[in-house]
Amino acid sequence: MTDETALREALCAYGRLLFGRGYSVGSAGNISVRLPDGYLITPTNSCLGRLEPDRISKLDGDWRHLSGERPSKEVFMHRAVLSARPQAGAVVHLHSTHATAIACLAAPGEAAPIPPLTPYFVMRIGRSLPVIPYYRPGDAAMEPAIHAAAAEARAVLLANHGPVVSGATLDDAVYAAEELEEAARLALLLRGQPARELTAAQVDDLLSTFG
Ligand code: 13P
């Protein structure tokens, strides 16, 4: 099995997992993976729960469509993150409910709309989660705003739309997207209550230990 074949299968398996957990519904959400010679991205209007390895869109190194079905309309979003973060190998975009709720509450420009309540949120997402202004889905105009924010952050929240999460590998990007959704759920559950946040020293310790 080639690496690309394995990645196509992993992409479909993770799509099923995210859909099964209710983190995407209908045809919402898209996933991209960097290859040595280009990118794989989920086709537009596809259901993450029913992806097929042979139908995944393949793009060349300049993001031109080579094979498979028509790529996600959010190709600009994925390009923004993968070009801003050479260390990133994959990007997951979801409309998962709790992260999207925070994306509706937070002000565009806000840097950390979810507090550091748990270690795994800090370890997977880091210190910041910039909130990008609202753009229509598929609007190429979002690319510079996401690119600038993603250079400094592993994940961003698109106002009134949802999270865009990167990782060094597809596994990392999916784990981070799952952690972000659960951290958003916790933040909303604890809103208005005197929840104890991790201290700045505890956050520093996590980031210096786990990177
Ligand atoms: P695509 O079906 O084009 O991937 O778009 C889905 C989506 O999540 C839009 O934000």
Side-chain angles (χ1 to χ4, degrees), residues 70-91:
R70 192 150 65 90
S72 169
K73 68 173 108 35
E74 301 293 22
V75 73
F76 306 107
M77 170 200 292
H78 291 259
R79 184 168 74 178
V81 176
L82 289 172
S83 64
R85 300 185 71 74
Q87 69 276 47
V91 173

mmCIF file with all atom_site columns, all heavy atoms in Angstrom, residues 70-91:
data_model
loop_
_atom_site.group_PDB
_atom_site.id
_atom_site.type_symbol
_atom_site.label_atom_id
_atom_site.label_alt_id
_atom_site.label_comp_id
_atom_site.label_asym_id
_atom_site.label_entity_id
_atom_site.label_seq_id
_atom_site.pdbx_PDB_ins_code
_atom_site.Cartn_x
_atom_site.Cartn_y
_atom_site.Cartn_z
_atom_site.occupancy
_atom_site.B_iso_or_equiv
_atom_site.pdbx_formal_charge
_atom_site.auth_seq_id
_atom_site.auth_comp_id
_atom_site.auth_asym_id
_atom_site.auth_atom_id
_atom_site.pdbx_PDB_model_num
ATOM 1   N N   . ARG A 1 70 ? -14.812 17.146 -7.768 1.00 0.00 ? 70 ARG A N   1
ATOM 2   C CA  . ARG A 1 70 ? -14.533 18.577 -7.606 1.00 0.00 ? 70 ARG A CA  1
ATOM 3   C C   . ARG A 1 70 ? -14.176 18.868 -6.145 1.00 0.00 ? 70 ARG A C   1
ATOM 4   O O   . ARG A 1 70 ? -14.883 18.421 -5.232 1.00 0.00 ? 70 ARG A O   1
ATOM 5   C CB  . ARG A 1 70 ? -15.756 19.386 -8.033 1.00 0.00 ? 70 ARG A CB  1
ATOM 6   C CG  . ARG A 1 70 ? -15.501 20.865 -8.194 1.00 0.00 ? 70 ARG A CG  1
ATOM 7   C CD  . ARG A 1 70 ? -16.417 21.463 -9.254 1.00 0.00 ? 70 ARG A CD  1
ATOM 8   N NE  . ARG A 1 70 ? -17.819 21.393 -8.857 1.00 0.00 ? 70 ARG A NE  1
ATOM 9   C CZ  . ARG A 1 70 ? -18.450 22.332 -8.168 1.00 0.00 ? 70 ARG A CZ  1
ATOM 10  N NH1 . ARG A 1 70 ? -17.831 23.433 -7.796 1.00 0.00 ? 70 ARG A NH1 1
ATOM 11  N NH2 . ARG A 1 70 ? -19.721 22.182 -7.858 1.00 0.00 ? 70 ARG A NH2 1
ATOM 12  N N   . PRO A 1 71 ? -13.063 19.582 -5.916 1.00 0.00 ? 71 PRO A N   1
ATOM 13  C CA  . PRO A 1 71 ? -12.622 19.795 -4.531 1.00 0.00 ? 71 PRO A CA  1
ATOM 14  C C   . PRO A 1 71 ? -13.577 20.679 -3.719 1.00 0.00 ? 71 PRO A C   1
ATOM 15  O O   . PRO A 1 71 ? -14.352 21.460 -4.285 1.00 0.00 ? 71 PRO A O   1
ATOM 16  C CB  . PRO A 1 71 ? -11.271 20.493 -4.680 1.00 0.00 ? 71 PRO A CB  1
ATOM 17  C CG  . PRO A 1 71 ? -11.134 20.872 -6.098 1.00 0.00 ? 71 PRO A CG  1
ATOM 18  C CD  . PRO A 1 71 ? -12.151 20.132 -6.910 1.00 0.00 ? 71 PRO A CD  1
ATOM 19  N N   . SER A 1 72 ? -13.463 20.566 -2.406 1.00 0.00 ? 72 SER A N   1
ATOM 20  C CA  . SER A 1 72 ? -14.208 21.437 -1.489 1.00 0.00 ? 72 SER A CA  1
ATOM 21  C C   . SER A 1 72 ? -14.115 22.890 -1.920 1.00 0.00 ? 72 SER A C   1
ATOM 22  O O   . SER A 1 72 ? -13.059 23.354 -2.353 1.00 0.00 ? 72 SER A O   1
ATOM 23  C CB  . SER A 1 72 ? -13.612 21.286 -0.080 1.00 0.00 ? 72 SER A CB  1
ATOM 24  O OG  . SER A 1 72 ? -14.142 22.279 0.764  1.00 0.00 ? 72 SER A OG  1
ATOM 25  N N   . LYS A 1 73 ? -15.201 23.609 -1.739 1.00 0.00 ? 73 LYS A N   1
ATOM 26  C CA  . LYS A 1 73 ? -15.166 25.055 -2.039 1.00 0.00 ? 73 LYS A CA  1
ATOM 27  C C   . LYS A 1 73 ? -14.286 25.805 -1.038 1.00 0.00 ? 73 LYS A C   1
ATOM 28  O O   . LYS A 1 73 ? -13.944 26.968 -1.245 1.00 0.00 ? 73 LYS A O   1
ATOM 29  C CB  . LYS A 1 73 ? -16.583 25.651 -2.076 1.00 0.00 ? 73 LYS A CB  1
ATOM 30  C CG  . LYS A 1 73 ? -17.275 25.686 -0.730 1.00 0.00 ? 73 LYS A CG  1
ATOM 31  C CD  . LYS A 1 73 ? -18.573 26.425 -0.775 1.00 0.00 ? 73 LYS A CD  1
ATOM 32  C CE  . LYS A 1 73 ? -19.840 25.620 -0.675 1.00 0.00 ? 73 LYS A CE  1
ATOM 33  N NZ  . LYS A 1 73 ? -19.881 24.448 0.163  1.00 0.00 ? 73 LYS A NZ  1
ATOM 34  N N   . GLU A 1 74 ? -13.929 25.132 0.074  1.00 0.00 ? 74 GLU A N   1
ATOM 35  C CA  . GLU A 1 74 ? -13.110 25.767 1.107  1.00 0.00 ? 74 GLU A CA  1
ATOM 36  C C   . GLU A 1 74 ? -11.617 25.563 0.851  1.00 0.00 ? 74 GLU A C   1
ATOM 37  O O   . GLU A 1 74 ? -10.802 25.663 1.769  1.00 0.00 ? 74 GLU A O   1
ATOM 38  C CB  . GLU A 1 74 ? -13.481 25.236 2.498  1.00 0.00 ? 74 GLU A CB  1
ATOM 39  C CG  . GLU A 1 74 ? -14.925 25.443 2.905  1.00 0.00 ? 74 GLU A CG  1
ATOM 40  C CD  . GLU A 1 74 ? -15.309 26.908 3.116  1.00 0.00 ? 74 GLU A CD  1
ATOM 41  O OE1 . GLU A 1 74 ? -14.632 27.799 2.581  1.00 0.00 ? 74 GLU A OE1 1
ATOM 42  O OE2 . GLU A 1 74 ? -16.302 27.143 3.819  1.00 0.00 ? 74 GLU A OE2 1
ATOM 43  N N   . VAL A 1 75 ? -11.254 25.335 -0.400 1.00 0.00 ? 75 VAL A N   1
ATOM 44  C CA  . VAL A 1 75 ? -9.860  25.108 -0.739 1.00 0.00 ? 75 VAL A CA  1
ATOM 45  C C   . VAL A 1 75 ? -8.988  26.313 -0.329 1.00 0.00 ? 75 VAL A C   1
ATOM 46  O O   . VAL A 1 75 ? -7.845  26.139 0.081  1.00 0.00 ? 75 VAL A O   1
ATOM 47  C CB  . VAL A 1 75 ? -9.765  24.748 -2.249 1.00 0.00 ? 75 VAL A CB  1
ATOM 48  C CG1 . VAL A 1 75 ? -9.991  25.930 -3.122 1.00 0.00 ? 75 VAL A CG1 1
ATOM 49  C CG2 . VAL A 1 75 ? -8.522  23.989 -2.576 1.00 0.00 ? 75 VAL A CG2 1
ATOM 50  N N   . PHE A 1 76 ? -9.560  27.516 -0.355 1.00 0.00 ? 76 PHE A N   1
ATOM 51  C CA  . PHE A 1 76 ? -8.779  28.724 0.026  1.00 0.00 ? 76 PHE A CA  1
ATOM 52  C C   . PHE A 1 76 ? -8.445  28.694 1.522  1.00 0.00 ? 76 PHE A C   1
ATOM 53  O O   . PHE A 1 76 ? -7.374  29.131 1.941  1.00 0.00 ? 76 PHE A O   1
ATOM 54  C CB  . PHE A 1 76 ? -9.558  30.000 -0.287 1.00 0.00 ? 76 PHE A CB  1
ATOM 55  C CG  . PHE A 1 76 ? -10.019 30.057 -1.714 1.00 0.00 ? 76 PHE A CG  1
ATOM 56  C CD1 . PHE A 1 76 ? -11.351 29.867 -2.039 1.00 0.00 ? 76 PHE A CD1 1
ATOM 57  C CD2 . PHE A 1 76 ? -9.105  30.282 -2.741 1.00 0.00 ? 76 PHE A CD2 1
ATOM 58  C CE1 . PHE A 1 76 ? -11.769 29.897 -3.357 1.00 0.00 ? 76 PHE A CE1 1
ATOM 59  C CE2 . PHE A 1 76 ? -9.517  30.313 -4.058 1.00 0.00 ? 76 PHE A CE2 1
ATOM 60  C CZ  . PHE A 1 76 ? -10.851 30.110 -4.376 1.00 0.00 ? 76 PHE A CZ  1
ATOM 61  N N   . MET A 1 77 ? -9.376  28.194 2.300  1.00 0.00 ? 77 MET A N   1
ATOM 62  C CA  . MET A 1 77 ? -9.176  28.073 3.747  1.00 0.00 ? 77 MET A CA  1
ATOM 63  C C   . MET A 1 77 ? -8.036  27.087 4.035  1.00 0.00 ? 77 MET A C   1
ATOM 64  O O   . MET A 1 77 ? -7.135  27.371 4.833  1.00 0.00 ? 77 MET A O   1
ATOM 65  C CB  . MET A 1 77 ? -10.495 27.551 4.339  1.00 0.00 ? 77 MET A CB  1
ATOM 66  C CG  . MET A 1 77 ? -10.480 27.129 5.751  1.00 0.00 ? 77 MET A CG  1
ATOM 67  S SD  . MET A 1 77 ? -11.908 26.035 6.065  1.00 0.00 ? 77 MET A SD  1
ATOM 68  C CE  . MET A 1 77 ? -13.298 27.113 5.912  1.00 0.00 ? 77 MET A CE  1
ATOM 69  N N   . HIS A 1 78 ? -8.071  25.956 3.353  1.00 0.00 ? 78 HIS A N   1
ATOM 70  C CA  . HIS A 1 78 ? -7.037  24.934 3.572  1.00 0.00 ? 78 HIS A CA  1
ATOM 71  C C   . HIS A 1 78 ? -5.687  25.422 3.058  1.00 0.00 ? 78 HIS A C   1
ATOM 72  O O   . HIS A 1 78 ? -4.655  25.207 3.691  1.00 0.00 ? 78 HIS A O   1
ATOM 73  C CB  . HIS A 1 78 ? -7.464  23.620 2.904  1.00 0.00 ? 78 HIS A CB  1
ATOM 74  C CG  . HIS A 1 78 ? -8.629  22.985 3.588  1.00 0.00 ? 78 HIS A CG  1
ATOM 75  N ND1 . HIS A 1 78 ? -8.509  21.930 4.459  1.00 0.00 ? 78 HIS A ND1 1
ATOM 76  C CD2 . HIS A 1 78 ? -9.957  23.298 3.558  1.00 0.00 ? 78 HIS A CD2 1
ATOM 77  C CE1 . HIS A 1 78 ? -9.713  21.609 4.929  1.00 0.00 ? 78 HIS A CE1 1
ATOM 78  N NE2 . HIS A 1 78 ? -10.613 22.421 4.390  1.00 0.00 ? 78 HIS A NE2 1
ATOM 79  N N   . ARG A 1 79 ? -5.702  26.088 1.908  1.00 0.00 ? 79 ARG A N   1
ATOM 80  C CA  . ARG A 1 79 ? -4.447  26.615 1.358  1.00 0.00 ? 79 ARG A CA  1
ATOM 81  C C   . ARG A 1 79 ? -3.862  27.664 2.294  1.00 0.00 ? 79 ARG A C   1
ATOM 82  O O   . ARG A 1 79 ? -2.642  27.721 2.500  1.00 0.00 ? 79 ARG A O   1
ATOM 83  C CB  . ARG A 1 79 ? -4.705  27.202 -0.038 1.00 0.00 ? 79 ARG A CB  1
ATOM 84  C CG  . ARG A 1 79 ? -3.456  27.688 -0.720 1.00 0.00 ? 79 ARG A CG  1
ATOM 85  C CD  . ARG A 1 79 ? -3.701  27.984 -2.174 1.00 0.00 ? 79 ARG A CD  1
ATOM 86  N NE  . ARG A 1 79 ? -4.463  29.209 -2.354 1.00 0.00 ? 79 ARG A NE  1
ATOM 87  C CZ  . ARG A 1 79 ? -4.788  29.710 -3.540 1.00 0.00 ? 79 ARG A CZ  1
ATOM 88  N NH1 . ARG A 1 79 ? -4.467  29.070 -4.654 1.00 0.00 ? 79 ARG A NH1 1
ATOM 89  N NH2 . ARG A 1 79 ? -5.459  30.843 -3.631 1.00 0.00 ? 79 ARG A NH2 1
ATOM 90  N N   . ALA A 1 80 ? -4.725  28.510 2.862  1.00 0.00 ? 80 ALA A N   1
ATOM 91  C CA  . ALA A 1 80 ? -4.254  29.553 3.778  1.00 0.00 ? 80 ALA A CA  1
ATOM 92  C C   . ALA A 1 80 ? -3.483  28.932 4.938  1.00 0.00 ? 80 ALA A C   1
ATOM 93  O O   . ALA A 1 80 ? -2.395  29.398 5.298  1.00 0.00 ? 80 ALA A O   1
ATOM 94  C CB  . ALA A 1 80 ? -5.444  30.359 4.307  1.00 0.00 ? 80 ALA A CB  1
ATOM 95  N N   . VAL A 1 81 ? -4.032  27.867 5.521  1.00 0.00 ? 81 VAL A N   1
ATOM 96  C CA  . VAL A 1 81 ? -3.390  27.272 6.700  1.00 0.00 ? 81 VAL A CA  1
ATOM 97  C C   . VAL A 1 81 ? -2.130  26.499 6.299  1.00 0.00 ? 81 VAL A C   1
ATOM 98  O O   . VAL A 1 81 ? -1.071  26.665 6.904  1.00 0.00 ? 81 VAL A O   1
ATOM 99  C CB  . VAL A 1 81 ? -4.375  26.343 7.453  1.00 0.00 ? 81 VAL A CB  1
ATOM 100 C CG1 . VAL A 1 81 ? -3.668  25.656 8.617  1.00 0.00 ? 81 VAL A CG1 1
ATOM 101 C CG2 . VAL A 1 81 ? -5.582  27.134 7.945  1.00 0.00 ? 81 VAL A CG2 1
ATOM 102 N N   . LEU A 1 82 ? -2.229  25.684 5.253  1.00 0.00 ? 82 LEU A N   1
ATOM 103 C CA  . LEU A 1 82 ? -1.079  24.838 4.898  1.00 0.00 ? 82 LEU A CA  1
ATOM 104 C C   . LEU A 1 82 ? 0.072   25.663 4.338  1.00 0.00 ? 82 LEU A C   1
ATOM 105 O O   . LEU A 1 82 ? 1.236   25.286 4.486  1.00 0.00 ? 82 LEU A O   1
ATOM 106 C CB  . LEU A 1 82 ? -1.508  23.733 3.928  1.00 0.00 ? 82 LEU A CB  1
ATOM 107 C CG  . LEU A 1 82 ? -2.385  22.647 4.588  1.00 0.00 ? 82 LEU A CG  1
ATOM 108 C CD1 . LEU A 1 82 ? -2.952  21.692 3.543  1.00 0.00 ? 82 LEU A CD1 1
ATOM 109 C CD2 . LEU A 1 82 ? -1.604  21.863 5.641  1.00 0.00 ? 82 LEU A CD2 1
ATOM 110 N N   . SER A 1 83 ? -0.233  26.828 3.734  1.00 0.00 ? 83 SER A N   1
ATOM 111 C CA  . SER A 1 83 ? 0.886   27.653 3.257  1.00 0.00 ? 83 SER A CA  1
ATOM 112 C C   . SER A 1 83 ? 1.474   28.479 4.404  1.00 0.00 ? 83 SER A C   1
ATOM 113 O O   . SER A 1 83 ? 2.668   28.753 4.426  1.00 0.00 ? 83 SER A O   1
ATOM 114 C CB  . SER A 1 83 ? 0.468   28.537 2.080  1.00 0.00 ? 83 SER A CB  1
ATOM 115 O OG  . SER A 1 83 ? -0.497  29.452 2.498  1.00 0.00 ? 83 SER A OG  1
ATOM 116 N N   . ALA A 1 84 ? 0.646   28.846 5.392  1.00 0.00 ? 84 ALA A N   1
ATOM 117 C CA  . ALA A 1 84 ? 1.169   29.612 6.541  1.00 0.00 ? 84 ALA A CA  1
ATOM 118 C C   . ALA A 1 84 ? 1.946   28.725 7.506  1.00 0.00 ? 84 ALA A C   1
ATOM 119 O O   . ALA A 1 84 ? 2.761   29.220 8.276  1.00 0.00 ? 84 ALA A O   1
ATOM 120 C CB  . ALA A 1 84 ? 0.020   30.283 7.289  1.00 0.00 ? 84 ALA A CB  1
ATOM 121 N N   . ARG A 1 85 ? 1.654   27.415 7.491  1.00 0.00 ? 85 ARG A N   1
ATOM 122 C CA  . ARG A 1 85 ? 2.251   26.503 8.474  1.00 0.00 ? 85 ARG A CA  1
ATOM 123 C C   . ARG A 1 85 ? 2.936   25.341 7.760  1.00 0.00 ? 85 ARG A C   1
ATOM 124 O O   . ARG A 1 85 ? 2.338   24.265 7.575  1.00 0.00 ? 85 ARG A O   1
ATOM 125 C CB  . ARG A 1 85 ? 1.166   25.946 9.429  1.00 0.00 ? 85 ARG A CB  1
ATOM 126 C CG  . ARG A 1 85 ? 0.455   27.019 10.202 1.00 0.00 ? 85 ARG A CG  1
ATOM 127 C CD  . ARG A 1 85 ? -0.506  26.442 11.221 1.00 0.00 ? 85 ARG A CD  1
ATOM 128 N NE  . ARG A 1 85 ? 0.161   25.817 12.354 1.00 0.00 ? 85 ARG A NE  1
ATOM 129 C CZ  . ARG A 1 85 ? 0.760   26.492 13.321 1.00 0.00 ? 85 ARG A CZ  1
ATOM 130 N NH1 . ARG A 1 85 ? 0.808   27.811 13.303 1.00 0.00 ? 85 ARG A NH1 1
ATOM 131 N NH2 . ARG A 1 85 ? 1.334   25.842 14.315 1.00 0.00 ? 85 ARG A NH2 1
ATOM 132 N N   . PRO A 1 86 ? 4.204   25.555 7.347  1.00 0.00 ? 86 PRO A N   1
ATOM 133 C CA  . PRO A 1 86 ? 4.907   24.472 6.655  1.00 0.00 ? 86 PRO A CA  1
ATOM 134 C C   . PRO A 1 86 ? 5.027   23.213 7.507  1.00 0.00 ? 86 PRO A C   1
ATOM 135 O O   . PRO A 1 86 ? 5.178   22.112 6.984  1.00 0.00 ? 86 PRO A O   1
ATOM 136 C CB  . PRO A 1 86 ? 6.290   25.065 6.348  1.00 0.00 ? 86 PRO A CB  1
ATOM 137 C CG  . PRO A 1 86 ? 6.312   26.433 6.909  1.00 0.00 ? 86 PRO A CG  1
ATOM 138 C CD  . PRO A 1 86 ? 4.968   26.788 7.463  1.00 0.00 ? 86 PRO A CD  1
ATOM 139 N N   . GLN A 1 87 ? 4.917   23.376 8.828  1.00 0.00 ? 87 GLN A N   1
ATOM 140 C CA  . GLN A 1 87 ? 5.011   22.218 9.734  1.00 0.00 ? 87 GLN A CA  1
ATOM 141 C C   . GLN A 1 87 ? 3.696   21.441 9.793  1.00 0.00 ? 87 GLN A C   1
ATOM 142 O O   . GLN A 1 87 ? 3.651   20.355 10.382 1.00 0.00 ? 87 GLN A O   1
ATOM 143 C CB  . GLN A 1 87 ? 5.425   22.675 11.142 1.00 0.00 ? 87 GLN A CB  1
ATOM 144 C CG  . GLN A 1 87 ? 4.403   23.487 11.926 1.00 0.00 ? 87 GLN A CG  1
ATOM 145 C CD  . GLN A 1 87 ? 4.392   24.987 11.630 1.00 0.00 ? 87 GLN A CD  1
ATOM 146 O OE1 . GLN A 1 87 ? 4.401   25.407 10.471 1.00 0.00 ? 87 GLN A OE1 1
ATOM 147 N NE2 . GLN A 1 87 ? 4.336   25.796 12.679 1.00 0.00 ? 87 GLN A NE2 1
ATOM 148 N N   . ALA A 1 88 ? 2.636   21.971 9.198  1.00 0.00 ? 88 ALA A N   1
ATOM 149 C CA  . ALA A 1 88 ? 1.332   21.294 9.253  1.00 0.00 ? 88 ALA A CA  1
ATOM 150 C C   . ALA A 1 88 ? 1.190   20.323 8.084  1.00 0.00 ? 88 ALA A C   1
ATOM 151 O O   . ALA A 1 88 ? 1.534   20.651 6.944  1.00 0.00 ? 88 ALA A O   1
ATOM 152 C CB  . ALA A 1 88 ? 0.195   22.318 9.231  1.00 0.00 ? 88 ALA A CB  1
ATOM 153 N N   . GLY A 1 89 ? 0.653   19.128 8.372  1.00 0.00 ? 89 GLY A N   1
ATOM 154 C CA  . GLY A 1 89 ? 0.443   18.134 7.330  1.00 0.00 ? 89 GLY A CA  1
ATOM 155 C C   . GLY A 1 89 ? -1.023  17.924 6.991  1.00 0.00 ? 89 GLY A C   1
ATOM 156 O O   . GLY A 1 89 ? -1.329  17.250 6.007  1.00 0.00 ? 89 GLY A O   1
ATOM 157 N N   . ALA A 1 90 ? -1.919  18.481 7.800  1.00 0.00 ? 90 ALA A N   1
ATOM 158 C CA  . ALA A 1 90 ? -3.348  18.258 7.549  1.00 0.00 ? 90 ALA A CA  1
ATOM 159 C C   . ALA A 1 90 ? -4.175  19.357 8.214  1.00 0.00 ? 90 ALA A C   1
ATOM 160 O O   . ALA A 1 90 ? -3.731  19.987 9.185  1.00 0.00 ? 90 ALA A O   1
ATOM 161 C CB  . ALA A 1 90 ? -3.768  16.899 8.085  1.00 0.00 ? 90 ALA A CB  1
ATOM 162 N N   . VAL A 1 91 ? -5.390  19.556 7.659  1.00 0.00 ? 91 VAL A N   1
ATOM 163 C CA  . VAL A 1 91 ? -6.314  20.575 8.183  1.00 0.00 ? 91 VAL A CA  1
ATOM 164 C C   . VAL A 1 91 ? -7.716  19.969 8.234  1.00 0.00 ? 91 VAL A C   1
ATOM 165 O O   . VAL A 1 91 ? -8.148  19.292 7.290  1.00 0.00 ? 91 VAL A O   1
ATOM 166 C CB  . VAL A 1 91 ? -6.320  21.824 7.268  1.00 0.00 ? 91 VAL A CB  1
ATOM 167 C CG1 . VAL A 1 91 ? -7.403  22.813 7.690  1.00 0.00 ? 91 VAL A CG1 1
ATOM 168 C CG2 . VAL A 1 91 ? -4.961  22.507 7.292  1.00 0.00 ? 91 VAL A CG2 1
#
